[in-house]
Amino acid sequence: MNDYLKDFDVPAKHPSPAALQKWRNAVSLVKNPRRRFRHVADLAKRSIHQNRLNKIKEDLRVTFIAMRAAMRFIDAGAHPKNSHEHPQPKDVTPSEFRKNPEKLSSMVRNYDMKTLRSLQGVNGIAEAVDVSINEGVKSSDLSTRQETYGFNKYTEKPSKSFLMFVWDALHDLTLIILIVCAIVSIGVGLATEGWPNGIYDGLGILLSIMLVVTVTAVSDYKQSLQFQDLDKEKKKISSHVTRDGCRKKVSIYDLVVGDIVHLSIGDQVPADGIFISGYNLLIDESSLTGESDYVHIDENKPFLLAGTKVQDGSAKMIVTAVGMKTEWGKLMETLSEEGEDETPLQVKLNGVATIIGKIGLVFAVLTFLVLTVRFLVEKAMRGDFSSWSSSDALSMLDYFATAVTIIVVAVPEGLPLAVTLSLAFAMKKLMNDKALVRHLSACETMGSATCICTDKTGTLTTNHMVVDKIWVSGEIKDVRDSEGRVISSKLSESVLTILLQGIFECTGSEVVKDKDGKTSILGTPTESAILQYGLDAGGDFDATRKDIKILKMEPFNSAKKKMSVIVALPDSQTRAFCKGASEIVLGLCDKIIDGSGEAVLLTEEKVKLITGVIHEFAVDALRTLCVAYLDVEGDSENSIPENGYTLVAVVGIKDPLRPGVKEAVETCLAAGITVRMVTGDNINTAKAIAKECGILTEGGLAIDGPEFRTKTAEELNEIAPRIQVMARSSPTDKHNLVNHLRGMGEVVAVTGDGTNDAPALHESDIGFAMGIAGTEVAKEQADVIVMDDDFATIVKVAKWGRAVYINIQKFVQFQLTVNIVALMINFVSACITGSAPLTAVQLLWVNLIMDTLGALALATEPPNDGLMQRSPVKRTDSFITKTMWRNIIGQSVYQMVVLFVLNFAGKPILNLHGANATAILNTFIFNTFVFCQVFNEINSRDIDKINIFRGIFSSWIFMAVMIATVVFQVIIVEFLGTFASTVPLDWQLWLLSIVIGLVSMPIAAVLKCIPVEKTRVNEHHDGYEILPAGPEQV
């Protein structure tokens, strides 16, 4: 089978257009392209949209370059020395913007610096939109602003109605042919048999088609609703704004013109706006223009465009345009039409469907030819070949309808769609488990993951940080007692003042009060912990900020691992503060505050002492940071100093391990998934946490980023499989580790939250971004967003990924068995007896059981714990395994033997006599065939294990499908005989049908005892053996 599927192989991530086109060219015999390829990207349309998008970006790029050149020219003419000679005329009034919102939006879009200056800058804009820069928008004005300036929402394609899905289902070519056959049958029947007997055969086919179309449309419509829910979750992005004088978090779709938005590293600019204030703001405009160079934004270049990303720095901006009035809004309208790439499993099953469809087509043609030739020969032998009646035409029509129905059954259109159904179901369940799957293929690929490279902070730990210990003035002080209460620290006033200045000024977070006066901290957990310590130590954040003016700031980022700021003190002294990774900040210091509160020289002996303190904190699993200061002489506009600091304190922050992480790591190890911690923390802190949660084991390797960078490719090949902890790593280290592991054949999942993690998330097989701590840049590059930042959630994704794969295998096993039996029984019977025991209506019902209903029952089974006790499925493994072929062939042989015996010797065996004996026998064969499928569907719940009833009652969809199938079968046989060509059966024949179907269950148990594949036992890096992947004899 693998040889035939070589054209149906695409990478799970970033497939090339050539690879996507290759399998499309290989697909043939598609009954309903509209339905089958609904979840497949339209490459022709995508190409058109991509060209359109590139043209828009190129136009924007040229426009922006021209505008910036014009701005530089204007700036040169408006040099300060000439400003008094040529005062800027105020030719625009604020009231004009209230009357004409388009003028306000075009000012930013066109980089209209002249208009901005004529309004006296951002303060004039605030006046124009009637907002206070300090207080922000009033909540009571929101609806008025939305009516005046518009909503921050983009044009989207309307969702499809249920009737559209019915229309799609009716585009099945074979169903269209059957509808034509049914109409012709009704016409001929009325002419020959009259009303109402002449309409029953044709009406039966029409009713069956209506049932198939309705069930199919309902299933597809529910899938679409699930995807709509997922899309809504994907679009939930928040921004920090100042409203009613308070800083708060709101959805970007609730932003209005006039909102004061706070931007920080990794944020997406949510709307067009103008820079108010900020520090070192670098903007990535590549999403709009395709240009990779970052743009520095300040008072001289104040225009910010929606959709761009904050690469570095922080700022405040005032919103001037929202929604479709921005260039980003117009681009979003284009992007929404592209469609998503298909998954490898969808492609592979399209290949399987193509192969089986071709076989089915051959059997359908042969069946029609055999029936037709036999009919013609018999007619010739009777000597009435030259005379044709309407009944002869009906017979030929029945043969044709039977052949077409065989194609309906034989072409497993539901195979690729079952993948979509299973993935949609899994994604919906994962959303409830706090995992938002952004790309379908990620859930599927995670089932094959062999390695997870995870962050520490917030993923393995709670991210609820508190300062636990602090080294200051030469001694270690406990900050909290055993019950978590704050202990008063007796520090000299001068030391405490400098420490609190460093804490409150060198921070990107804020202490805010709500309407009730309750204090809260907005910022990262690490910053929040240090600020809370400052407040507990008696500091006043607002008073300190009011007295001290920030002159320059370099926000923290994961590359520098520190944050620096220059401030002007009340006594006109200029001071720099630095806070960050302990060993990095310590390396910038040449003085230290001693026990008496005086700054003394930092000798080698004192460096060893402080390094020992850092080590002691780290061994206790505390995250360590240093705070240092430097009094700056001369021009404060120069760059922030990089040495000469005085060390004030070493802070030890406690971040407890998340509940359940240890068990989640053990689950990964049992599943053959290696867990590697990649963190920016001190190596001793990382090792302590890794040992506590079971990641670092005997024989495992802990390495830091600087040492990792020095290794050659050969050395990395040797040590990479043993690396369990990488500390003090940069985003580049993480990226290189991921690439190296992938090059060694690993399927790598990686977590990330920062802007600089984007390359590693992009290159990994599965990228996980943190929903709470993660930046918008990281989320955009991720395949899955972990909404609770919990490592255990990642393990749930792995479990569901494996469930999707195994569920599709179950469905394929079940469907292939039905296909083989239905094809063979009709074909052989046609060859020998000249008639097919299963009519068109009956085959349509069987198709519904094995296609839509079968997919619902088997492709939506929830995962069980046993899935995480076997090795990951290798990418090179055959999808249809030898174990599956064993089960398919065994069940098919049993069913064919039973049905052939009944077909050729059923009357004497069942002691059937009389005029309706043939009708009873054919009904009994149909009934037995259906019950064989019902019990085989239960057998298919587990491919390997004998105990197929485990968890059956927890899978309510499976139970509902089983009950519905049996109920409908009773109705068809007992009450719809006129339409379905059946007759009512007595209780003995009903019981015998059920017993024959039930016998397939012990046969399945016997089959599962036959070994067909070698049992693989993998040994993990810690020496512990993975459970075998073969059958579990239960």
Side-chain angles (χ1 to χ4, degrees), residues 265 279-280 312-314 501-502 505-508 527 545 550-557 560-567 575-581 584-585 588 626-630 632 638-643 645:
I265 295 176
Y279 308 99
N280 195 35
D312 200 0
S314 59
Q501 286 176 354
E505 297 298 329
C506 194
T507 181
E527 294 269 26
R545 278 293 181 95
I550 296 177
L551 302 176
K552 192 167 186 178
M553 179 187 285
E554 285 185 359
F556 178 88
N557 67 43
K560 294 180 287 190
K561 299 193 184 300
K562 67 181 178 67
M563 176 182 184
S564 304
V565 64
I566 295 180
V567 300
R575 180 170 287 170
F577 289 99
C578 183
K579 178 185 72 182
I584 290 174
V585 175
L588 305 179
C626 285
V627 180
Y629 79 98
L630 170 64
V632 181
N638 292 332
S639 61
I640 295 175
E642 290 294 328
N643 53 54
Y645 285 86

Side-chain angles (χ1 to χ4, degrees), residues 895-911:
Q895 291 184 27
M896 283 191 291
V897 167
V898 169
L899 295 174
F900 281 142
V901 168
L902 290 174
N903 193 48
F904 298 120
K907 289 180 183 178
I909 292 174
L910 298 174
N911 196 26

Side-chain angles (χ1 to χ4, degrees), residues 681-736:
D681 269 357
N682 179 293
I683 191 165
N684 294 306
T685 306
K687 285 165 72 174
I689 293 288
K691 285 178 181 176
E692 188 179 349
C693 62
I695 291 175
L696 186 58
T697 58
E698 188 177 346
L701 179 64
I703 190 172
D704 60 19
E707 183 183 352
F708 176 79
R709 282 170 230 146
T710 63
K711 300 295 182 183
T712 63
E714 291 75 18
E715 290 173 324
L716 284 177
N717 286 335
E718 185 179 341
I719 67 168
R722 293 176 48 238
I723 293 177
Q724 295 173 0
V725 176
M726 186 189 288
R728 284 292 180 240
S729 66
S730 67
T732 305
D733 295 330
K734 181 189 281 189
H735 183 234
N736 290 339

